[in-house]
Amino acid sequence: MTSVLTTATPDRAARVANPQIGAPLRRREDHRLLTGAARYLDDLDLPGCYEAAFLRSPHASARIVAIDTSAAAALPGVFGVWTGADLRVLAKGIPPKVTHPQLRDIPRLPLPPESVHFVGEPVAVVVAVSRHVAEDALELIDAEYDVLPAVSSTGAALADGAPLVHEEMDSNVAVHVIQTAGDPDAALAAAPHRLRERFTVARGGGHSMETRGVVGSFDAATGQLTVWDTTQSPHYVRNQLAYLYEVPEDEIRVVAPPDVGGGFGPKAQFYGEEAVIPYLAKILRHPVKWIEDRQENFVATMMERTQVHDVEIGFDDEGHILAVRNVFQHDQGAYCAGLQVPMITLSTLPGQYRIPNIHSELIACYTNMVPTSSVRGAGRPQAVVAMERMVDRAAEHLGMDPAEFRRRNLVPADEFPYRVGLTFRDGSPLTYDSGDYPQLLEAVLARLDYDGERERQRELQAQGRLIGIGLAAYVEGCGLGPYEGSRFRLANDGTIIVTLAAAPQGQGYETVYAQIAADALGMDMDLIRVTTGDTSRIPFGQGTFASRNTATAGPATLQAGREMREKLFLVAEAMLKTSSEGLVLVGDRICVADEQERGVSLREIAQAANVGKHGITLAPGILPGLETTSYFAPERAAYASGTHAVVVEVDPETGGIEILKYVIGHDCGTVINPLLVDGQVLGGFAHGIGNALYEEPFYDEAGQPQSTSYLDYALPSAVEVPPVELVHLHTPSPLNPLGAKGAGEGGTIPVPAAIANAVEDALRPFGARITELPLSPAKVVGAMTAAPGV
């Protein structure tokens, strides 16, 4: 039985009656993860599996003159060497995941045969008896290039006379999009106060513990190609492979292992390696595995973040924002893997504020960098930096406390749903569904002891210490469609198998969706098993990204579970020859309510309905095959929100930053499991600390990466991540039956802005300006020495 859910109001009565939703249960997954029993992709041991290695471009921009693979192919243990010229069957180009009518797309080929456009782009692949032999063979490939000028930044891409990243284009602009609300030009012209600034946010990666990997195996007898992939979106991979190979999608099975060492966005994309490895497995009639090494991960896995924002804000004497204009350059990299990041930045700008006039303008540029992907936050941290930094500047200009300035501009709780006037990246009008931004701000200020911290700041500043307090607020579009599904099946052992299309990346799906299913079924969680990420188990799905699954797969699970409960009771009614209204579920048995010794077990129901143990003909009333499937399609995105507050101290001699206190206020609607939500928020916060203070890859003017190991690229460890206090507010979304929003990225989004605000506040006696992130000690010292007060 398949049903399609549309949006509905939160099912409050069901939530109150069902205690599993909202329970702080420990994750089922943790035991195997903590005891070393988890199995990752590289643990997949197919008999006689070959291994592959890729030759990658050493140049950011070059024409391929010739590639001689003869010596490599002759190496003992090598089964074949292929270049783009050998695999022209795959040369259709990988389409962008999110596009726009104005996008000037350049085909992204799995193995480009004629030219390369970033360091690390694959140009040839070796398949051998082992990875060691394959890498030895790479050394024997003679590749000749005609090196061309490279473009290593958006500024260089937009400069007069800039080299063209793609010679077939007349400029390096991939897309130019403008969104407006009201009349921002007139409002800015009439505003009593106007401020302008430029902010730069540097690139960074996802840096999962487990790198990318893919294994392909072809069964010639059935014609089935099976692909194991570390992807966040197995159905997306299946569809891309079917498109490139020109076969029906049913001929391809994609499995995302349930144990994976993180994703964070880059694994939601589709890469050339994912197209090449299964294809070689098919033509070789033998399993082939490729696991990305860490050096490859630094140069070939997609990154994010690089944006330059020119922001202008207009406001009146009372501190009301009248207009904001933001024109930002976005580094799209060498190809457009998707426009989701800049399109999200475009619409995230207004945040929690009621701004009647908005100009948000995107200029996305092709550069000779690795293509841009989503990384936790996906374009939102950059927009929050642009908005929240200007809010602090406006408050400073008026001599007003930054908390009070925010109070005067927050969208009131009684104005939801609130139409912003822009368009979100899903194409729907940007409409905040629910929230209470003023209450969230006050709760965070109270937990921080904001007034007390301001007093202590003054006392310590009088002693010569540089103490700063920073605030930052955000709104996060999440719970995106177009849909997500859930399938329930009664197994013959009497357990319920719940199958999700989305592949987990550490969020605890086996626990959360068992909780939702248990509530829907009115059943103990011990009787429920959750499986994920296998296209052979559920035909349609989108994937794990954009903090979307609890608000999409969650309602689908709720609905499928309720339908399964109804079918179980109908079968039990036929078996017990009594009305289902008089039946109750007790443990693993459906019993007559006032005669509970009279009942049937779930195993017996499965034997009757799934197996047909009573003979060739099913007994009257027995439903064949106890299975339900539901897909939930939200009307539009839901909007989580949060407010962060931080106290820092800056060392004036070294530029070092110490976080003294940090408070996170978070609203993700209905919480299914508080322990898991807290874990997601705190994990996101650690990622945000990296974005704010540590993570920055460097490239020279020729596009050559200068930081290709963790000796050169700093990640925060447990030592650098300070203790955090959490404040939760729950405003259920009216867009889905659970009232759920998203929780996976909120801990990350405002951290760079909050810390930048706090550092600039600490340096206010010097008049120093913080305009570049991440904030290394050198940048802090540079800001101090460049300040007019020094």
Side-chain angles (χ1 to χ4, degrees):
M1 180 177 181
T2 300
S3 65
V4 177
L5 264 179
T6 55
T7 55
T9 56
D11 193 345
R12 295 178 176 83
R15 290 205 310 274
V16 170
N18 297 316
Q20 293 299 328
I21 291 179
L25 304 180
R26 293 185 181 275
R27 298 197 321 169
R28 290 177 163 186
E29 298 89 337
D30 286 346
H31 182 268
R32 67 175 186 269
L33 293 170
L34 296 174
T35 60
R39 289 184 58 81
Y40 298 90
L41 184 70
D42 201 21
D43 294 320
L44 182 65
D45 188 16
L46 299 180
C49 186
Y50 299 162
E51 296 199 53
F54 284 88
L55 181 70
R56 299 184 181 276
S57 169
H59 307 293
S61 180
R63 296 186 187 92
I64 299 173
V65 177
I67 301 179
D68 184 353
T69 63
S70 57
L75 184 70
V78 171
F79 300 112
V81 184
W82 294 265
T83 68
D86 303 316
L87 297 179
R88 291 189 181 274
V89 68
L90 302 181
K92 295 173 65 175
I94 302 168
K97 192 169 188 180
V98 175
T99 188
H100 188 276
Q102 298 177 28
L103 173 66
R104 300 199 297 171
D105 184 39
I106 298 297
R108 178 166 58 103
L109 305 181
L111 288 179
E114 297 174 354
S115 59
V116 292
H117 296 94
F118 65 93
V119 172
E121 187 168 11
V123 295
V125 59
V126 175
V127 176
V129 68
S130 70
R131 176 66 178 251
H132 303 293
V133 173
E135 290 190 353
D136 288 344
L138 292 183
E139 299 292 330
L140 300 177
I141 298 176
D142 184 12
E144 181 182 352
Y145 299 92
D146 178 13
V147 179
L148 301 172
V151 174
S152 59
S153 68
T154 57
L158 295 172
D160 291 340
L164 294 175
V165 175
H166 298 286
E167 295 177 329
E168 58 268 45
M169 294 181 59
D170 58 6
S171 79
N172 291 317
V173 176
V175 68
H176 186 184
V177 180
I178 300 173
Q179 288 197 35
T180 61
D183 189 345
D185 291 340
L188 283 169
H193 306 278
R194 295 170 68 176
L195 297 174
R196 299 182 183 89
E197 186 59 275
R198 167 172 281 201
F199 300 106
T200 301
V201 181
R203 69 172 43 234
H207 293 277
S208 304
M209 288 191 297
E210 181 187 24
T211 56
R212 294 183 294 131
V214 60
V215 179
S217 179
F218 181 70
D219 186 338
T222 64
Q224 179 84 37
L225 177 65
T226 302
V227 180
W228 292 267
D229 197 332
T230 55
T231 180
Q232 297 170 227
S233 306
H235 288 78
Y236 173 60
V237 171
R238 180 199 63 182
N239 295 342
Q240 292 287 68
L241 293 176
Y243 165 75
L244 290 170
Y245 300 168
E246 297 183 344
V247 300
E249 61 267 26
D250 286 356
E251 293 185 11
I252 301 171
R253 177 191 180 194
V254 177
V255 181
D259 296 324
V260 62
F264 308 122
K267 291 180 183 175
Q269 297 294 341
F270 183 82
Y271 295 79
E273 296 93 339
E274 291 171 284
V276 170
I277 296 299
Y279 185 79
L280 295 181
K282 186 173 182 178
I283 65 176
L284 290 171
R285 297 294 197 265
H286 207 91
V288 178
K289 175 191 288 188
W290 168 74
I291 303 295
E292 180 185 55
D293 66 29
R294 187 58 68 178
Q295 186 177 28
E296 289 179 296
N297 182 257
F298 267 97
V299 299
T301 292
M302 297 183 193
M303 299 183 187
E304 204 218 300
R305 304 269 183 255
T306 311
Q307 290 182 359
V308 178
H309 290 256
D310 290 300
V311 198
E312 184 173 10
I313 188 171
F315 50 98
D316 63 20
D317 295 335
E318 287 72 42
H320 297 113
I321 301 174
L322 304 175
V324 63
R325 174 188 286 126
N326 181 35
V327 180
F328 69 99
Q329 304 166 19
H330 170 80
D331 188 340
Q332 195 63 50
Y335 306 98
C336 183
L339 287 174
Q340 59 271 26
V341 169
M343 296 303 291
I344 289 173
T345 303
L346 196 72
S347 59
T348 300
L349 176 71
Q352 295 185 10
Y353 306 114
R354 185 166 49 181
I355 306 175
N357 303 286
I358 304 167
H359 178 105
S360 189
E361 182 172 350
L362 157 68
I363 305 170
C365 303
Y366 288 120
T367 65
N368 291 113
M369 299 284 110
V370 64
T372 294
S373 163
S374 301
V375 174
R376 201 172 197 164
R380 299 174 185 89
Q382 302 94 311
V384 173
V385 164
M387 190 72 235
E388 292 295 318
R389 299 292 291 113
M390 293 308 288
V391 165
D392 262 34
R393 293 284 180 86
E396 177 192 41
H397 182 81
L398 294 176
M400 184 182 294
D401 185 276
E404 179 58 29
F405 189 96
R406 286 172 169 83
R407 287 189 184 103
R408 298 185 183 194
N409 290 282
L410 292 173
V411 174
D414 60 2
E415 290 192 12
F416 290 94
Y418 179 79
R419 294 181 68 95
V420 177
L422 303 179
T423 300
F424 190 50
R425 76 101 152 166
D426 64 356
S428 66
L430 185 61
T431 305
Y432 300 160
D433 53 328
S434 65
D436 192 333
Y437 306 153
Q439 182 182 353
L440 189 60
L441 172 64
E442 298 307 326
V444 169
L445 294 177
R447 181 65 63 88
L448 186 75
D449 183 20
Y450 184 76
D451 292 338
E453 290 295 339
R454 281 297 182 196
E455 181 59 32
R456 282 186 284 276
Q457 179 189 30
R458 289 188 284 269
E459 293 171 358
L460 294 173
Q461 282 180 337
Q463 302 171 21
R465 294 174 64 181
L466 301 179
I467 306 296
I469 302 173
L471 302 173
Y474 72 94
V475 176
E476 176 195 1
C478 51
L480 298 175
Y483 65 87
E484 205 58 71
S486 183
R487 169 175 284 182
F488 280 56
R489 181 169 61 85
L490 177 63
N492 292 341
D493 64 357
T495 60
I496 300 291
I497 300 175
V498 178
T499 300
L500 306 175
Q505 303 288 298
Q507 298 91 336
Y509 283 8
E510 293 174 34
T511 306
V512 169
Y513 290 95
Q515 290 181 256
I516 298 172
D519 278 9
L521 291 162
M523 183 182 294
D524 192 280
M525 276 180 60
D526 290 342
L527 297 171
I528 299 168
R529 291 181 285 154
V530 177
T531 64
T532 59
D534 186 339
T535 61
S536 71
R537 290 178 176 263
I538 185 168
F540 305 108
Q542 298 297 312
T544 295
F545 53 89
S547 299
R548 62 183 296 274
N549 274 282
T550 305
T552 52
T557 299
L558 187 71
Q559 178 68 14
R562 289 174 176 172
E563 293 173 359
M564 174 59 82
R565 178 182 171 89
E566 181 181 348
K567 295 180 81 169
L568 291 173
F569 273 71
L570 288 174
V571 174
E573 176 186 71
M575 295 177 69
L576 295 171
K577 297 180 171 54
T578 186
S579 171
S580 62
E581 294 179 358
L583 299 177
V584 293
L585 180 59
V586 180
D588 68 343
R589 289 170 53 83
I590 296 179
C591 309
V592 178
D594 54 2
E595 193 182 349
Q596 292 193 12
E597 68 278 3
R598 183 172 164 233
V600 291
S601 69
L602 296 178
R603 184 189 293 266
E604 290 172 321
I605 290 174
Q607 289 294 315
N610 295 350
V611 179
K613 70 172 186 176
H614 295 294
I616 291 272
T617 304
L618 287 177
I622 303 296
L623 304 176
L626 291 184
E627 179 179 272
T628 61
T629 302
S630 178
Y631 291 93
F632 178 74
E635 173 188 337
R636 50 187 167 83
Y639 291 87
S641 59
T643 300
H644 289 206
V646 58
V647 182
V648 306
E649 181 169 9
V650 178
D651 186 323
E653 295 184 359
T654 67
I657 300 167
E658 181 181 1
I659 297 175
L660 305 178
K661 195 172 184 179
Y662 206 106
V663 176
I664 295 175
H666 188 255
D667 180 1
C668 62
T670 300
V671 170
I672 309 301
N673 187 316
L675 283 179
L676 271 64
V677 168
D678 285 357
Q680 286 289 299
V681 173
L682 294 174
F685 171 68
H687 209 146
I689 289 291
N691 295 338
L693 298 175
Y694 298 104
E695 298 183 52
E696 185 173 12
F698 294 94
Y699 296 80
D700 65 17
E701 292 184 355
Q704 285 290 334
Q706 305 298 298
S707 46
T708 56
S709 77
Y710 291 125
L711 294 174
D712 309 302
Y713 184 96
L715 285 174
S717 70
V719 174
E720 287 77 31
V721 179
V724 178
E725 296 184 52
L726 295 178
V727 178
H728 289 291
L729 182 68
H730 309 297
T731 59
S733 172
L735 300 176
N736 65 77
L738 287 172
K741 302 178 185 177
E745 299 171 90
T748 301
I749 292 167
V751 178
I755 291 178
N757 281 343
V759 171
E760 189 166 287
D761 185 49
L763 300 182
R764 193 151 280 125
F766 298 90
R769 293 308 199 192
I770 301 300
T771 60
E772 295 184 16
L773 287 159
L775 266 176
S776 65
K779 290 178 184 176
V780 173
V781 172
M784 293 176 65
T785 56
V790 176

